[in-house]
């Protein structure tokens, strides 16, 4: 994250941290795999799933941010700084995300020291796959919608977005629950349950869903109706149009 902050200063924008977020998990997985002594199959699968998820997310966020203004979250954090805005952003964004990355990645680290690839590991792979599909397809559907001039100012309520208002956030959470199940091959791994809980809480109640919906509710006509008929996080069949939430 220190290196990412240096790149951000050179670029004159702080959204570099978005790209580094996914890559950081990939680095953690690769380094732990090299150092760990657990079951080889479990180490390789855990590393592969984490790297695929992390690199895909990094590329997606980099492409999404390229050529666009700085993310309003970071400009607002810098604007509120009482002292040097660069130091403020470094502490509030980069150091905080470094700590969160370490904590959330605990299941990935613990899984690499387990001794067997059992039934729970296979369940974890299945849960990871469901999450990865939701996150990847949801992001692609949203990108296509956002880049279509005919949908400007409208609400995306088709595809996966028909069943949940945040298929990408749900998918992200499912990915980490899948990786947690891989870690459950050992008791130390099972003890890292607070990591996927923290990730899910952040996405559903923290800086993910609430911040996104606050912005959309004030900028998208018809969003309130979409909220009323569509599940907020976990995919469910949509309610009849106009039904109460």
């Amino acid at each position: 994250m220190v290196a990412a902050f240096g790149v951000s200063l050179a670029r004159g924008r702080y959204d570099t941290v978005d790209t580094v977020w996914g890559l950081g998990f990939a680095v953690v997985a690769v380094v732990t795999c090299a150092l760990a002594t657990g079951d080889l199959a479990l180490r390789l699968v855990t590393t592969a799933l984490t790297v695929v998820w992390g690199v895909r997310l990094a590329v997606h966020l980099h492409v999404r941010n390229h050529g666009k203004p700085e993310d309003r979250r970071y400009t607002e954090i810098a604007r509120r700084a009482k002292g040097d805005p660069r130091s403020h952003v470094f502490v509030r964004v980069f150091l905080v995300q470094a700590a969160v990355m370490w904590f959330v990645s605990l299941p990935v680290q613990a899984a690499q020291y387990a001794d067997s690839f059992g039934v729970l590991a296979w369940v974890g792979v299945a849960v990871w796959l469901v999450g990865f599909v939701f996150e990847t397809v949801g992001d692609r559907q949203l990108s296509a919608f956002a880049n279509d001039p005919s949908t400007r100012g409208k609400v995306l309520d088709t595809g996966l977005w028909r069943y949940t208002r945040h298929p990408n956030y749900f998918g992200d959470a499912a990915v980490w629950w899948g990786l947690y199940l891989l870690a459950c091959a050992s008791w130390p791994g099972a003890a890292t349950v607070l990591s996927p809980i923290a990730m899910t809480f952040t996405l559903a109640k923290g800086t993910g869903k609430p911040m996104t919906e606050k912005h959309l509710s004030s900028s998208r006509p018809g969003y309130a109706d979409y909220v009323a008929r569509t599940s907020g996080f976990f995919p469910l069949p949509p309610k009849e149009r106009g039904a109460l939430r």
Side-chain angles (χ1 to χ4, degrees):
M1 281 299 178
V2 172
F5 182 68
V7 174
S8 291
L9 293 180
R11 295 179 65 221
R13 54 189 298 162
Y14 299 116
D15 59 8
T16 302
V17 72
D18 293 342
T19 301
V20 174
W21 174 252
L23 294 179
F25 285 103
V27 171
V28 169
V30 171
V31 171
T32 308
C33 181
L35 297 176
T37 57
D39 179 78
L40 180 59
L42 187 57
R43 286 161 52 198
L44 293 178
V45 170
T46 301
T47 301
L49 297 185
T50 307
V51 169
V52 168
W53 172 83
V55 171
R56 200 282 321 173
L57 181 62
V59 171
H60 168 72
L61 293 178
H62 180 76
V63 171
R64 186 194 68 180
N65 293 338
H66 182 69
K68 296 180 180 178
E70 175 72 285
D71 191 304
R72 62 183 180 275
R73 296 173 297 170
Y74 305 135
T75 56
E76 183 65 16
I77 291 173
R79 186 186 66 80
R80 293 182 177 180
K82 295 182 179 179
D84 181 4
R86 294 172 298 181
S87 298
H88 186 69
V89 171
F90 177 66
V91 173
R92 287 287 305 278
V93 177
F94 288 80
L95 287 188
V96 169
Q97 290 212 21
V100 172
M101 182 185 297
W102 172 81
F103 184 75
V104 171
S105 69
L106 286 177
V108 171
Q109 299 177 55
Q112 316 245 25
Y113 289 91
D115 293 329
S116 63
F117 194 104
V119 175
L120 273 180
W122 286 110
V123 175
V125 171
V127 172
W128 181 94
L129 183 59
V130 170
F132 188 74
V133 169
F134 263 84
E135 187 174 6
T136 302
V137 175
D139 279 338
R140 288 184 178 178
Q141 290 174 343
L142 180 59
S143 295
F145 183 85
N147 293 326
D148 185 350
S150 67
T151 62
R152 189 177 302 276
K154 297 181 180 180
V155 176
L156 173 57
D157 60 358
T158 58
L160 294 179
W161 299 81
R162 170 179 166 82
Y163 303 100
T164 167
R165 302 198 297 273
H166 302 281
N168 45 358
Y169 292 161
F170 165 77
D172 202 348
V175 160
W176 283 98
W177 281 106
L179 291 171
Y180 167 72
L181 289 174
L182 287 169
C184 285
S186 68
W187 283 112
T192 64
V193 65
L194 290 180
S195 296
I197 288 176
M199 175 63 90
T200 304
F201 180 84
T202 299
L203 293 167
K205 300 293 185 180
T207 57
K209 175 177 173 285
M211 290 185 65
T212 300
E213 296 201 337
K214 181 180 179 180
H215 170 68
L216 291 175
S217 62
S218 61
S219 62
R220 291 287 190 274
Y223 194 74
D225 181 56
Y226 175 63
V227 168
R229 68 179 188 273
T230 310
S231 173
F233 195 75
F234 195 86
L236 294 171
K239 299 176 183 178
E240 293 295 329
R241 186 175 296 272
L244 294 177
R245 187 179 181 184

